[in-house]
């Protein structure tokens, strides 16, 4: 049995931020075979408070000689404007320290924290191997969920795409969408979202929340004001992320959809993240989703050739996006189970 303690995160400690970066890298390598490098200041920015959510954070630490080593992290996010009775919880344990009770202890601390704050619903996602049976009661995530009184509500998949894409693949996709998009036009942004588009982008983000097939997983979709979108973007920038965003505009110049990839440029980073792709309901049927993803990958290859793997996540119920991702060549890295109490 490993001796460990659970305590609050010391955001003022550069050493603790460095160890949290190492924990993040180890977990990413374990799942995706790739990771991103973050600086101490970027990790601190990731833990910074938000005007839209109260967050409590904990670490699990073990003794190594006269020093501590952080081997686990747990986060309890409590929205302030929607889902006011829900706590969104998540945890991660270093691959070398799993199976020693650390995850269970972190989960119990999260449950106590949520209940003390008057949050009656727990909401979380748990990763399982790509070939696992999500109903297997012996899986660690299912054991922890049962202890917390949570049930499976949906199953999704985290998928990876190796880059660069095979020669000619993007040109093949472009030929498929050229006629279908008609008079719609695409713009690709690499310097963030223009100030005059923040409100429109917020409408897209809310629609994304409304449209995502979630099975029995139920939450209230947030409202994304221009200020809220601005806070999200400023935090991403402070965390070291850059982005490639392609948006579609209708012939009437209405914003019709978006697709976004985020990544950082720190030496040693090899992974990027497909954040989201959405086409507004009134503008579907013109292959805009595929067109925007193609434009994004064109630009990503040009501005970030160091990115060798892109990660995306989709509900198993999202047949349209799963079909597009299959065309690109995404492969399942792991499954994710959505739990709620």
């Amino acid at each position: 049995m490993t001796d460990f303690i659970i305590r609050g995160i010391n955001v003022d400690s550069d050493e603790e931020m460095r160890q949290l970066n190492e924990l993040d890298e180890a977990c990413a390598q374990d799942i995706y075979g790739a990771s991103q490098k973050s600086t101490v200041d970027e990790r601190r920015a990731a833990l910074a408070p938000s005007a839209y959510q109260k967050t409590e954070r904990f670490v699990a630490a073990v003794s190594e000689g006269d020093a501590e080593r952080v081997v686990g992290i747990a986060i309890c996010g409590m929205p302030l404007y929607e889902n006011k009775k829900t706590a969104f919880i998540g945890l991660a344990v270093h691959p070398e320290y799993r199976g020693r009770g650390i995850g269970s202890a972190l989960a119990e601390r999260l449950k106590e924290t949520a209940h003390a704050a008057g949050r009656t619903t727990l909401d979380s996602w748990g990763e399982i191997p790509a070939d696992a049976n999500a109903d297997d009661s012996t899986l660690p995530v299912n054991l922890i969920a049962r202890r917390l009184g949570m049930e499976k509500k949906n199953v999704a998949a985290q998928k990876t795409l190796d880059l660069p894409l095979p020669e000619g693949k993007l040109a093949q996709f472009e030929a498929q969408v050229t006629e279908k998009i008609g008079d719609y036009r695409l713009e690709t942004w690499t310097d963030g979202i223009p100030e005059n588009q923040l409100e429109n982008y917020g409408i897209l983000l809310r629609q994304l929340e409304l449209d995502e097939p979630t099975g029995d997983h139920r939450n209230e979709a947030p409202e994304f004001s221009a200020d809220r979108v601005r806070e999200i973007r400023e935090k991403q920038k402070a965390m070291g992320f850059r982005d490639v965003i392609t948006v579609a505009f209708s012939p009437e110049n209405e914003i019709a959809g978006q697709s976004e990839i985020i990544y950082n440029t720190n030496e040693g980073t090899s992974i990027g993240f497909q954040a989201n792709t959405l086409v507004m309901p009134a503008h579907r049927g013109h292959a805009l989703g595929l067109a925007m993803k193609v434009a994004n990958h064109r630009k990503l290859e040009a501005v970030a050739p160091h990115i060798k793997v892109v990660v995306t996540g989709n509900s198993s119920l999202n047949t349209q996006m799963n079909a597009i991702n299959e065309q690109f060549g995404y492969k399942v890295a792991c499954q994710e189970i959505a739990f709620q109490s």
Side-chain angles (χ1 to χ4, degrees):
M1 183 68 178
T2 300
D3 291 329
F4 59 88
I5 62 169
I6 306 294
R7 58 167 175 78
I9 290 178
N10 181 3
V11 294
D12 295 324
S13 167
D14 285 358
E15 176 60 20
E16 190 145 315
M17 298 301 100
R18 186 188 66 77
Q19 290 190 25
L20 286 172
N21 284 339
E22 290 181 350
L23 171 62
D24 185 68
E25 290 171 29
C27 291
Q29 285 288 347
D30 183 58
I31 298 172
Y32 308 122
S35 62
Q36 72 173 21
K37 300 288 186 179
S38 298
T39 67
V40 163
D41 286 340
E42 288 166 356
R43 178 58 53 186
R44 193 169 281 121
L47 298 170
S50 165
Y52 299 92
Q53 176 173 278
K54 179 183 178 182
T55 306
E56 300 288 347
R57 303 171 177 87
F58 307 94
V59 292
V62 298
S63 295
E64 290 190 346
D66 295 330
E68 273 189 348
R69 181 185 179 189
V70 171
V71 297
I73 184 172
I75 297 177
C76 180
M78 294 169 280
L80 300 177
Y81 292 92
E82 67 281 324
N83 300 301
K84 294 180 182 179
K85 290 296 184 180
T86 299
F88 293 89
I89 62 175
L91 64 88
V93 177
H94 194 289
E96 295 175 4
Y97 284 84
R98 292 172 186 166
R100 307 187 192 190
I102 296 173
S104 295
L106 286 169
E108 288 293 339
R109 177 63 65 89
L110 290 172
K111 181 180 180 179
E112 293 168 4
T113 301
H115 287 177
R119 302 287 169 142
T120 54
T121 298
L122 299 179
D123 189 296
S124 188
W125 290 84
E127 295 158 351
I128 62 174
D131 58 355
N133 178 358
D135 293 319
D136 182 351
S137 62
T138 66
L139 290 170
V141 294
N142 285 334
L143 292 172
I144 290 175
R146 188 161 60 247
R147 288 185 60 174
L148 298 182
M150 304 172 76
E151 298 178 349
K152 183 188 77 173
K153 299 296 184 179
N154 193 18
V155 179
Q158 289 286 310
K159 303 176 183 180
T160 57
L161 177 67
D162 292 334
L163 298 180
L165 291 171
E167 185 72 26
K169 193 157 193 174
L170 289 178
Q172 176 187 341
F173 289 147
E174 286 164 342
Q176 290 180 29
V177 303
T178 297
E179 291 187 7
K180 292 182 180 179
I181 65 173
D183 293 329
Y184 285 85
R185 63 181 176 85
L186 304 182
E187 287 186 12
T188 300
W189 303 330
T190 56
D191 294 319
I193 303 168
E195 184 70 21
N196 65 352
Q197 293 292 347
L198 288 174
E199 185 174 346
N200 286 332
Y201 208 81
I203 293 171
L204 293 173
L205 293 180
R206 176 170 169 79
Q207 191 66 45
L208 185 74
E209 296 276 351
L210 292 170
D211 283 358
E212 178 66 20
T214 57
D216 295 325
H217 191 213
R218 297 283 186 266
N219 281 307
E220 181 184 353
E223 296 280 357
F224 290 93
S225 65
D227 285 342
R228 193 168 190 170
V229 176
R230 189 181 296 108
E231 185 196 83
I232 293 170
R233 308 307 299 184
E234 289 175 352
K235 182 168 187 173
Q236 286 183 344
K237 184 176 181 180
M239 290 170 62
F241 283 114
R242 299 187 182 184
D243 48 38
V244 176
I245 303 172
T246 295
V247 293
F249 289 93
S250 73
E252 295 75 32
N253 209 35
E254 295 178 344
I255 195 164
Q258 55 80 244
S259 185
E260 177 179 354
I261 296 175
I262 61 174
Y263 65 95
N264 80 27
T265 58
N266 293 334
E267 184 177 356
T269 292
S270 57
I271 194 170
F273 301 91
Q274 173 72 62
N276 44 63
T277 300
L278 169 80
V279 178
M280 293 295 283
H283 301 285
R284 292 170 187 167
H286 301 279
L288 294 176
L290 178 57
M292 292 186 296
K293 287 175 77 80
V294 169
N296 263 5
H297 277 278
R298 278 281 188 214
K299 181 60 71 172
L300 186 69
E301 287 185 1
V303 301
H306 64 288
I307 299 300
K308 302 303 181 185
V309 175
V310 172
V311 175
T312 192
N314 299 108
S315 166
S316 59
L317 303 174
N318 194 343
T319 54
Q320 176 73 12
M321 192 52 61
N322 284 327
I324 290 176
N325 287 336
E326 188 173 328
Q327 290 184 66
F328 268 84
Y330 278 92
K331 293 181 173 57
V332 176
C334 69
Q335 297 180 77
E336 282 189 314
I337 303 176
F339 295 103
Q340 271 183 332
S341 62

